[in-house]
Amino acid sequence: MRRIVGIVLAVLLMVGVVVAVVAGRDNEDTGTATKTVRMVIGSEKAEFFADPDVVKALAAKGYTVKAETSGSWAMEGLDLKGYDLAFPSSQAPAVELAAKYKVTGTLPRPFYSPLVVMAHKNAADVLAANGLATLDAAHRGTLKMSAYLDAARADRTWQQLKGATKYGELTGTLYISSTDPETSNSGALYLAAASYVAGGGKVVASDTEVDRTAPLLHKLVSVQGAQQSSTDASFRDFVSGAGNPLVLGYESQVASLLADGQQPGDLVVLYPDTTVNSDHTAVPLTENGRALAELLSTDPQLRGLEVRHGFRPQGEATEFASAGTYLKQELTGVRQAPVPTSKVLHELARRARG
């Protein structure tokens, strides 16, 4: 009898060990399991979501992100079935996406970045000498949008500007390189700012105002020839020394470059005196997508990483620290232009492209 009892106890002990191991595995899986969030993002956020520190911070909160890039305005034409989040670079395309996918409620806007013009030092000096810009630091200044648009109307060339002839790279028509406004957010916002200035500080809203503004916008775009579809590509071209001496981009791109320890000595950042902030606006397509978007807005560690990548978190201007003489810590002296409705902006882009 004692032998039988011993065998039974041994079996029960083994069963107990197995149950404990399985329970332990279950608890371990629960503790380390992550929710996978599929998202489509503007290209300018690709480095942020690929940053190992960002990946680690998200994993600690229980999320794994799989991000694909697209032009912000091009997202509307994508089939987003199976995605958790769309994350374009501004509010206008986000509103369009929200309407298309019947997303209700407030759309999270975790961070923003103003549009800037990146100039090579020689080009910036010539613009300043001709009243088209002012320089307040070695690598930072302000672009006078009204004066620049007057030069564009007149088809002014670099050779017509005093002091330009000594720089062999400054030839041909004076223009700012921008991205395709029909597919890229920065290109569309450039037209929004230009149309606002050209309209005397009034947002384009009617067909008559579109007709009046369209010829100038067409000049701004047609002089460029082929345009890049993303700011990431045009920024990399500029940094490598290729292409036009004036390139439109995001402040965050410069800040991220500086945060990586690179010191592009030839770079001058010109803040247009009238510009548009790129409000990175999330469109949650699932509950996991909304939770992740809210986390980007509220988590202190993620907000700190956003700053490191050059984005300005919503709500706390003091979190953004300028990098030496390149960037403004506060956007004083920079007027924010309201953006036309999506319908009007699409029409402006179409007319600009011709």
Side-chain angles (χ1 to χ4, degrees), residues 138-180:
H139 299 283
R140 185 183 65 229
T142 302
L143 177 72
K144 297 181 178 181
M145 278 291 285
S146 184
Y148 167 70
L149 293 179
D150 286 343
R153 286 190 189 94
D155 298 315
R156 293 185 73 179
T157 65
W158 283 104
Q159 292 92 323
Q160 292 173 327
L161 302 181
K162 63 182 180 182
T165 53
K166 60 184 177 181
Y167 303 118
E169 71 275 16
L170 300 181
T171 60
T173 305
L174 170 68
Y175 68 90
I176 296 170
S177 288
S178 59
T179 52
D180 183 345

mmCIF file of all heavy atoms in Angstrom, residues 138-180:
data_model
loop_
_atom_site.group_PDB
_atom_site.id
_atom_site.type_symbol
_atom_site.label_atom_id
_atom_site.label_comp_id
_atom_site.label_asym_id
_atom_site.label_seq_id
_atom_site.Cartn_x
_atom_site.Cartn_y
_atom_site.Cartn_z
ATOM 1 N N ALA A 138 25.407 82.578 -37.973
ATOM 2 C CA ALA A 138 26.262 82.073 -39.049
ATOM 3 C C ALA A 138 25.523 81.112 -39.974
ATOM 4 O O ALA A 138 25.769 81.092 -41.183
ATOM 5 C CB ALA A 138 27.485 81.382 -38.446
ATOM 6 N N HIS A 139 24.626 80.335 -39.417
ATOM 7 C CA HIS A 139 23.950 79.309 -40.223
ATOM 8 C C HIS A 139 22.427 79.367 -40.091
ATOM 9 O O HIS A 139 21.751 78.366 -40.282
ATOM 10 C CB HIS A 139 24.441 77.918 -39.810
ATOM 11 C CG HIS A 139 25.910 77.730 -40.016
ATOM 12 N ND1 HIS A 139 26.463 77.505 -41.246
ATOM 13 C CD2 HIS A 139 26.947 77.764 -39.131
ATOM 14 C CE1 HIS A 139 27.780 77.384 -41.133
ATOM 15 N NE2 HIS A 139 28.095 77.543 -39.861
ATOM 16 N N ARG A 140 21.901 80.557 -39.816
ATOM 17 C CA ARG A 140 20.458 80.682 -39.615
ATOM 18 C C ARG A 140 19.986 82.058 -40.062
ATOM 19 O O ARG A 140 20.695 83.056 -39.879
ATOM 20 C CB ARG A 140 20.110 80.484 -38.144
ATOM 21 C CG ARG A 140 18.625 80.483 -37.847
ATOM 22 C CD ARG A 140 18.371 80.353 -36.348
ATOM 23 N NE ARG A 140 18.864 81.506 -35.612
ATOM 24 C CZ ARG A 140 19.627 81.429 -34.523
ATOM 25 N NH1 ARG A 140 20.003 80.265 -34.046
ATOM 26 N NH2 ARG A 140 20.035 82.526 -33.910
ATOM 27 N N GLY A 141 18.791 82.089 -40.645
ATOM 28 C CA GLY A 141 18.258 83.367 -41.076
ATOM 29 C C GLY A 141 16.784 83.282 -41.409
ATOM 30 O O GLY A 141 16.101 82.302 -41.083
ATOM 31 N N THR A 142 16.297 84.310 -42.081
ATOM 32 C CA THR A 142 14.884 84.417 -42.434
ATOM 33 C C THR A 142 14.747 84.709 -43.920
ATOM 34 O O THR A 142 15.436 85.591 -44.452
ATOM 35 C CB THR A 142 14.207 85.554 -41.638
ATOM 36 O OG1 THR A 142 14.350 85.298 -40.238
ATOM 37 C CG2 THR A 142 12.725 85.660 -41.987
ATOM 38 N N LEU A 143 13.886 83.969 -44.583
ATOM 39 C CA LEU A 143 13.581 84.223 -45.988
ATOM 40 C C LEU A 143 12.384 85.156 -46.066
ATOM 41 O O LEU A 143 11.345 84.904 -45.446
ATOM 42 C CB LEU A 143 13.258 82.911 -46.709
ATOM 43 C CG LEU A 143 12.858 83.050 -48.188
ATOM 44 C CD1 LEU A 143 14.070 83.407 -49.040
ATOM 45 C CD2 LEU A 143 12.198 81.776 -48.696
ATOM 46 N N LYS A 144 12.517 86.233 -46.827
ATOM 47 C CA LYS A 144 11.420 87.179 -47.000
ATOM 48 C C LYS A 144 10.530 86.677 -48.132
ATOM 49 O O LYS A 144 10.855 86.844 -49.313
ATOM 50 C CB LYS A 144 11.970 88.575 -47.295
ATOM 51 C CG LYS A 144 12.814 89.145 -46.155
ATOM 52 C CD LYS A 144 13.307 90.547 -46.485
ATOM 53 C CE LYS A 144 14.117 91.141 -45.339
ATOM 54 N NZ LYS A 144 14.587 92.518 -45.642
ATOM 55 N N MET A 145 9.424 86.082 -47.766
ATOM 56 C CA MET A 145 8.581 85.401 -48.748
ATOM 57 C C MET A 145 8.026 86.348 -49.806
ATOM 58 O O MET A 145 7.984 86.013 -50.995
ATOM 59 C CB MET A 145 7.432 84.677 -48.046
ATOM 60 C CG MET A 145 7.815 83.326 -47.486
ATOM 61 S SD MET A 145 8.151 82.102 -48.799
ATOM 62 C CE MET A 145 6.484 81.724 -49.347
ATOM 63 N N SER A 146 7.586 87.526 -49.403
ATOM 64 C CA SER A 146 7.020 88.465 -50.375
ATOM 65 C C SER A 146 8.058 88.866 -51.413
ATOM 66 O O SER A 146 7.777 88.892 -52.622
ATOM 67 C CB SER A 146 6.473 89.698 -49.658
ATOM 68 O OG SER A 146 5.844 90.570 -50.574
ATOM 69 N N ALA A 147 9.277 89.164 -50.959
ATOM 70 C CA ALA A 147 10.347 89.543 -51.885
ATOM 71 C C ALA A 147 10.716 88.375 -52.793
ATOM 72 O O ALA A 147 10.981 88.569 -53.995
ATOM 73 C CB ALA A 147 11.570 90.016 -51.099
ATOM 74 N N TYR A 148 10.744 87.180 -52.225
ATOM 75 C CA TYR A 148 11.059 86.007 -53.045
ATOM 76 C C TYR A 148 10.002 85.776 -54.121
ATOM 77 O O TYR A 148 10.325 85.492 -55.277
ATOM 78 C CB TYR A 148 11.196 84.758 -52.165
ATOM 79 C CG TYR A 148 11.215 83.488 -52.981
ATOM 80 C CD1 TYR A 148 12.306 83.172 -53.791
ATOM 81 C CD2 TYR A 148 10.109 82.631 -52.993
ATOM 82 C CE1 TYR A 148 12.305 82.023 -54.572
ATOM 83 C CE2 TYR A 148 10.109 81.489 -53.765
ATOM 84 C CZ TYR A 148 11.202 81.198 -54.556
ATOM 85 O OH TYR A 148 11.193 80.072 -55.349
ATOM 86 N N LEU A 149 8.724 85.918 -53.765
ATOM 87 C CA LEU A 149 7.659 85.721 -54.747
ATOM 88 C C LEU A 149 7.700 86.794 -55.834
ATOM 89 O O LEU A 149 7.400 86.516 -57.003
ATOM 90 C CB LEU A 149 6.295 85.708 -54.053
ATOM 91 C CG LEU A 149 6.032 84.526 -53.112
ATOM 92 C CD1 LEU A 149 4.655 84.644 -52.477
ATOM 93 C CD2 LEU A 149 6.181 83.188 -53.830
ATOM 94 N N ASP A 150 8.082 88.025 -55.474
ATOM 95 C CA ASP A 150 8.259 89.073 -56.489
ATOM 96 C C ASP A 150 9.352 88.679 -57.480
ATOM 97 O O ASP A 150 9.212 88.890 -58.693
ATOM 98 C CB ASP A 150 8.617 90.402 -55.825
ATOM 99 C CG ASP A 150 7.429 91.052 -55.130
ATOM 100 O OD1 ASP A 150 6.281 90.658 -55.435
ATOM 101 O OD2 ASP A 150 7.645 91.932 -54.276
ATOM 102 N N ALA A 151 10.441 88.109 -56.959
ATOM 103 C CA ALA A 151 11.531 87.662 -57.833
ATOM 104 C C ALA A 151 11.064 86.529 -58.741
ATOM 105 O O ALA A 151 11.430 86.466 -59.918
ATOM 106 C CB ALA A 151 12.722 87.211 -56.985
ATOM 107 N N ALA A 152 10.227 85.642 -58.203
ATOM 108 C CA ALA A 152 9.705 84.536 -59.013
ATOM 109 C C ALA A 152 8.791 85.045 -60.118
ATOM 110 O O ALA A 152 8.853 84.563 -61.263
ATOM 111 C CB ALA A 152 8.953 83.549 -58.117
ATOM 112 N N ARG A 153 7.945 86.022 -59.806
ATOM 113 C CA ARG A 153 7.063 86.604 -60.829
ATOM 114 C C ARG A 153 7.862 87.197 -61.974
ATOM 115 O O ARG A 153 7.474 87.120 -63.136
ATOM 116 C CB ARG A 153 6.189 87.695 -60.208
ATOM 117 C CG ARG A 153 5.062 87.210 -59.332
ATOM 118 C CD ARG A 153 4.142 88.365 -58.977
ATOM 119 N NE ARG A 153 3.163 87.971 -57.965
ATOM 120 C CZ ARG A 153 3.337 88.145 -56.652
ATOM 121 N NH1 ARG A 153 4.467 88.693 -56.195
ATOM 122 N NH2 ARG A 153 2.402 87.768 -55.806
ATOM 123 N N ALA A 154 8.996 87.807 -61.624
ATOM 124 C CA ALA A 154 9.831 88.495 -62.610
ATOM 125 C C ALA A 154 10.830 87.569 -63.298
ATOM 126 O O ALA A 154 11.634 88.029 -64.117
ATOM 127 C CB ALA A 154 10.575 89.656 -61.947
ATOM 128 N N ASP A 155 10.793 86.285 -62.970
ATOM 129 C CA ASP A 155 11.719 85.300 -63.545
ATOM 130 C C ASP A 155 13.179 85.715 -63.351
ATOM 131 O O ASP A 155 14.022 85.540 -64.240
ATOM 132 C CB ASP A 155 11.440 85.092 -65.043
ATOM 133 C CG ASP A 155 10.051 84.554 -65.314
ATOM 134 O OD1 ASP A 155 9.630 83.616 -64.600
ATOM 135 O OD2 ASP A 155 9.374 85.080 -66.215
ATOM 136 N N ARG A 156 13.483 86.223 -62.181
ATOM 137 C CA ARG A 156 14.854 86.679 -61.925
ATOM 138 C C ARG A 156 15.815 85.499 -61.908
ATOM 139 O O ARG A 156 15.480 84.390 -61.457
ATOM 140 C CB ARG A 156 14.938 87.439 -60.600
ATOM 141 C CG ARG A 156 14.182 88.762 -60.616
ATOM 142 C CD ARG A 156 14.393 89.532 -59.333
ATOM 143 N NE ARG A 156 15.728 90.109 -59.250
ATOM 144 C CZ ARG A 156 16.157 90.853 -58.230
ATOM 145 N NH1 ARG A 156 15.356 91.064 -57.186
ATOM 146 N NH2 ARG A 156 17.379 91.355 -58.220
ATOM 147 N N THR A 157 17.006 85.750 -62.388
ATOM 148 C CA THR A 157 18.056 84.732 -62.391
ATOM 149 C C THR A 157 19.088 85.067 -61.321
ATOM 150 O O THR A 157 19.162 86.212 -60.829
ATOM 151 C CB THR A 157 18.754 84.672 -63.761
ATOM 152 O OG1 THR A 157 19.435 85.912 -63.994
ATOM 153 C CG2 THR A 157 17.742 84.402 -64.875
ATOM 154 N N TRP A 158 19.884 84.070 -60.978
ATOM 155 C CA TRP A 158 20.963 84.315 -60.020
ATOM 156 C C TRP A 158 21.932 85.370 -60.558
ATOM 157 O O TRP A 158 22.423 86.213 -59.801
ATOM 158 C CB TRP A 158 21.721 83.016 -59.744
ATOM 159 C CG TRP A 158 21.023 82.067 -58.827
ATOM 160 C CD1 TRP A 158 20.368 80.921 -59.163
ATOM 161 C CD2 TRP A 158 20.902 82.179 -57.398
ATOM 162 N NE1 TRP A 158 19.849 80.313 -58.051
ATOM 163 C CE2 TRP A 158 20.164 81.051 -56.946
ATOM 164 C CE3 TRP A 158 21.345 83.112 -56.464
ATOM 165 C CZ2 TRP A 158 19.872 80.847 -55.603
ATOM 166 C CZ3 TRP A 158 21.049 82.908 -55.113
ATOM 167 C CH2 TRP A 158 20.323 81.789 -54.697
ATOM 168 N N GLN A 159 22.174 85.340 -61.866
ATOM 169 C CA GLN A 159 23.129 86.278 -62.451
ATOM 170 C C GLN A 159 22.690 87.727 -62.308
ATOM 171 O O GLN A 159 23.514 88.643 -62.360
ATOM 172 C CB GLN A 159 23.362 85.956 -63.936
ATOM 173 C CG GLN A 159 24.084 84.634 -64.183
ATOM 174 C CD GLN A 159 23.106 83.470 -64.380
ATOM 175 O OE1 GLN A 159 22.070 83.406 -63.730
ATOM 176 N NE2 GLN A 159 23.455 82.561 -65.281
ATOM 177 N N GLN A 160 21.392 87.960 -62.123
ATOM 178 C CA GLN A 160 20.878 89.318 -61.945
ATOM 179 C C GLN A 160 21.035 89.831 -60.516
ATOM 180 O O GLN A 160 20.785 91.010 -60.247
ATOM 181 C CB GLN A 160 19.399 89.370 -62.350
ATOM 182 C CG GLN A 160 19.153 89.169 -63.840
ATOM 183 C CD GLN A 160 17.683 89.047 -64.172
ATOM 184 O OE1 GLN A 160 16.896 88.526 -63.377
ATOM 185 N NE2 GLN A 160 17.297 89.515 -65.345
ATOM 186 N N LEU A 161 21.446 88.962 -59.617
ATOM 187 C CA LEU A 161 21.623 89.358 -58.224
ATOM 188 C C LEU A 161 23.067 89.765 -57.985
ATOM 189 O O LEU A 161 23.997 89.067 -58.400
ATOM 190 C CB LEU A 161 21.256 88.209 -57.288
ATOM 191 C CG LEU A 161 19.822 87.661 -57.404
ATOM 192 C CD1 LEU A 161 19.604 86.550 -56.387
ATOM 193 C CD2 LEU A 161 18.793 88.761 -57.214
ATOM 194 N N LYS A 162 23.257 90.879 -57.320
ATOM 195 C CA LYS A 162 24.621 91.354 -57.083
ATOM 196 C C LYS A 162 25.381 90.374 -56.192
ATOM 197 O O LYS A 162 24.842 89.833 -55.224
ATOM 198 C CB LYS A 162 24.607 92.744 -56.455
ATOM 199 C CG LYS A 162 23.955 92.831 -55.085
ATOM 200 C CD LYS A 162 23.962 94.269 -54.579
ATOM 201 C CE LYS A 162 23.300 94.363 -53.198
ATOM 202 N NZ LYS A 162 23.254 95.753 -52.713
ATOM 203 N N GLY A 163 26.619 90.147 -56.572
ATOM 204 C CA GLY A 163 27.480 89.262 -55.795
ATOM 205 C C GLY A 163 27.418 87.806 -56.192
ATOM 206 O O GLY A 163 28.200 86.991 -55.686
ATOM 207 N N ALA A 164 26.495 87.457 -57.116
ATOM 208 C CA ALA A 164 26.329 86.040 -57.462
ATOM 209 C C ALA A 164 27.336 85.564 -58.499
ATOM 210 O O ALA A 164 27.640 84.363 -58.562
ATOM 211 C CB ALA A 164 24.913 85.788 -57.968
ATOM 212 N N THR A 165 27.856 86.472 -59.306
ATOM 213 C CA THR A 165 28.707 86.056 -60.428
ATOM 214 C C THR A 165 30.006 85.389 -59.967
ATOM 215 O O THR A 165 30.610 84.638 -60.730
ATOM 216 C CB THR A 165 29.031 87.258 -61.322
ATOM 217 O OG1 THR A 165 29.576 88.318 -60.518
ATOM 218 C CG2 THR A 165 27.778 87.759 -62.025
ATOM 219 N N LYS A 166 30.427 85.654 -58.744
ATOM 220 C CA LYS A 166 31.678 85.040 -58.272
ATOM 221 C C LYS A 166 31.501 83.589 -57.829
ATOM 222 O O LYS A 166 32.475 82.915 -57.489
ATOM 223 C CB LYS A 166 32.293 85.867 -57.146
ATOM 224 C CG LYS A 166 31.422 86.028 -55.924
ATOM 225 C CD LYS A 166 32.123 86.952 -54.910
ATOM 226 C CE LYS A 166 31.246 87.210 -53.695
ATOM 227 N NZ LYS A 166 31.903 88.123 -52.731
ATOM 228 N N TYR A 167 30.244 83.121 -57.832
ATOM 229 C CA TYR A 167 29.981 81.740 -57.450
ATOM 230 C C TYR A 167 29.465 80.986 -58.670
ATOM 231 O O TYR A 167 28.328 81.197 -59.125
ATOM 232 C CB TYR A 167 28.950 81.677 -56.325
ATOM 233 C CG TYR A 167 29.332 82.456 -55.091
ATOM 234 C CD1 TYR A 167 28.554 83.529 -54.650
ATOM 235 C CD2 TYR A 167 30.479 82.130 -54.370
ATOM 236 C CE1 TYR A 167 28.903 84.249 -53.527
ATOM 237 C CE2 TYR A 167 30.849 82.845 -53.239
ATOM 238 C CZ TYR A 167 30.052 83.910 -52.827
ATOM 239 O OH TYR A 167 30.419 84.630 -51.713
ATOM 240 N N GLY A 168 30.274 80.096 -59.187
ATOM 241 C CA GLY A 168 29.936 79.392 -60.422
ATOM 242 C C GLY A 168 28.696 78.528 -60.328
ATOM 243 O O GLY A 168 28.029 78.281 -61.330
ATOM 244 N N GLU A 169 28.362 78.079 -59.103
ATOM 245 C CA GLU A 169 27.203 77.189 -58.955
ATOM 246 C C GLU A 169 25.878 77.946 -58.964
ATOM 247 O O GLU A 169 24.815 77.337 -59.077
ATOM 248 C CB GLU A 169 27.313 76.364 -57.666
ATOM 249 C CG GLU A 169 27.107 77.133 -56.373
ATOM 250 C CD GLU A 169 28.355 77.825 -55.835
ATOM 251 O OE1 GLU A 169 29.317 77.972 -56.615
ATOM 252 O OE2 GLU A 169 28.376 78.203 -54.658
ATOM 253 N N LEU A 170 25.935 79.283 -58.840
ATOM 254 C CA LEU A 170 24.701 80.072 -58.797
ATOM 255 C C LEU A 170 24.396 80.602 -60.190
ATOM 256 O O LEU A 170 24.761 81.714 -60.565
ATOM 257 C CB LEU A 170 24.840 81.226 -57.794
ATOM 258 C CG LEU A 170 25.122 80.822 -56.346
ATOM 259 C CD1 LEU A 170 25.211 82.036 -55.451
ATOM 260 C CD2 LEU A 170 24.047 79.857 -55.835
ATOM 261 N N THR A 171 23.710 79.787 -60.961
ATOM 262 C CA THR A 171 23.353 80.156 -62.329
ATOM 263 C C THR A 171 21.895 79.768 -62.599
ATOM 264 O O THR A 171 21.317 78.961 -61.877
ATOM 265 C CB THR A 171 24.239 79.430 -63.363
ATOM 266 O OG1 THR A 171 24.082 78.009 -63.212
ATOM 267 C CG2 THR A 171 25.704 79.804 -63.191
ATOM 268 N N GLY A 172 21.322 80.359 -63.622
ATOM 269 C CA GLY A 172 19.962 80.024 -64.025
ATOM 270 C C GLY A 172 18.918 80.715 -63.168
ATOM 271 O O GLY A 172 19.221 81.608 -62.366
ATOM 272 N N THR A 173 17.684 80.322 -63.336
ATOM 273 C CA THR A 173 16.559 80.949 -62.644
ATOM 274 C C THR A 173 16.615 80.693 -61.141
ATOM 275 O O THR A 173 16.939 79.592 -60.692
ATOM 276 C CB THR A 173 15.226 80.412 -63.206
ATOM 277 O OG1 THR A 173 15.199 80.610 -64.619
ATOM 278 C CG2 THR A 173 14.042 81.132 -62.572
ATOM 279 N N LEU A 174 16.318 81.729 -60.381
ATOM 280 C CA LEU A 174 16.254 81.619 -58.928
ATOM 281 C C LEU A 174 14.976 80.901 -58.532
ATOM 282 O O LEU A 174 13.873 81.341 -58.870
ATOM 283 C CB LEU A 174 16.275 83.029 -58.320
ATOM 284 C CG LEU A 174 15.972 83.152 -56.830
ATOM 285 C CD1 LEU A 174 17.086 82.536 -56.007
ATOM 286 C CD2 LEU A 174 15.761 84.613 -56.450
ATOM 287 N N TYR A 175 15.098 79.775 -57.833
ATOM 288 C CA TYR A 175 13.903 79.072 -57.357
ATOM 289 C C TYR A 175 14.250 78.154 -56.191
ATOM 290 O O TYR A 175 15.419 77.810 -55.970
ATOM 291 C CB TYR A 175 13.241 78.256 -58.474
ATOM 292 C CG TYR A 175 14.034 77.054 -58.957
ATOM 293 C CD1 TYR A 175 13.879 75.800 -58.364
ATOM 294 C CD2 TYR A 175 14.933 77.168 -60.021
ATOM 295 C CE1 TYR A 175 14.605 74.702 -58.803
ATOM 296 C CE2 TYR A 175 15.660 76.078 -60.468
ATOM 297 C CZ TYR A 175 15.491 74.844 -59.860
ATOM 298 O OH TYR A 175 16.215 73.757 -60.297
ATOM 299 N N ILE A 176 13.209 77.787 -55.463
ATOM 300 C CA ILE A 176 13.334 76.841 -54.353
ATOM 301 C C ILE A 176 12.861 75.471 -54.838
ATOM 302 O O ILE A 176 11.749 75.343 -55.369
ATOM 303 C CB ILE A 176 12.477 77.283 -53.148
ATOM 304 C CG1 ILE A 176 12.999 78.613 -52.599
ATOM 305 C CG2 ILE A 176 12.471 76.209 -52.056
ATOM 306 C CD1 ILE A 176 12.065 79.236 -51.572
ATOM 307 N N SER A 177 13.682 74.450 -54.661
ATOM 308 C CA SER A 177 13.274 73.084 -55.013
ATOM 309 C C SER A 177 12.290 72.568 -53.972
ATOM 310 O O SER A 177 12.552 72.629 -52.768
ATOM 311 C CB SER A 177 14.487 72.144 -55.063
ATOM 312 O OG SER A 177 15.280 72.413 -56.182
ATOM 313 N N SER A 178 11.160 72.064 -54.429
ATOM 314 C CA SER A 178 10.164 71.491 -53.528
ATOM 315 C C SER A 178 9.717 70.142 -54.084
ATOM 316 O O SER A 178 10.036 69.789 -55.215
ATOM 317 C CB SER A 178 8.965 72.432 -53.376
ATOM 318 O OG SER A 178 8.356 72.676 -54.631
ATOM 319 N N THR A 179 8.974 69.419 -53.296
ATOM 320 C CA THR A 179 8.494 68.103 -53.728
ATOM 321 C C THR A 179 7.176 68.247 -54.499
ATOM 322 O O THR A 179 6.535 69.295 -54.491
ATOM 323 C CB THR A 179 8.279 67.183 -52.515
ATOM 324 O OG1 THR A 179 7.456 67.870 -51.558
ATOM 325 C CG2 THR A 179 9.600 66.817 -51.871
ATOM 326 N N ASP A 180 6.778 67.169 -55.143
ATOM 327 C CA ASP A 180 5.558 67.143 -55.942
ATOM 328 C C ASP A 180 4.342 67.444 -55.052
ATOM 329 O O ASP A 180 4.032 66.665 -54.145
ATOM 330 C CB ASP A 180 5.412 65.756 -56.583
ATOM 331 C CG ASP A 180 4.211 65.637 -57.512
ATOM 332 O OD1 ASP A 180 3.328 66.508 -57.471
ATOM 333 O OD2 ASP A 180 4.160 64.657 -58.272
#
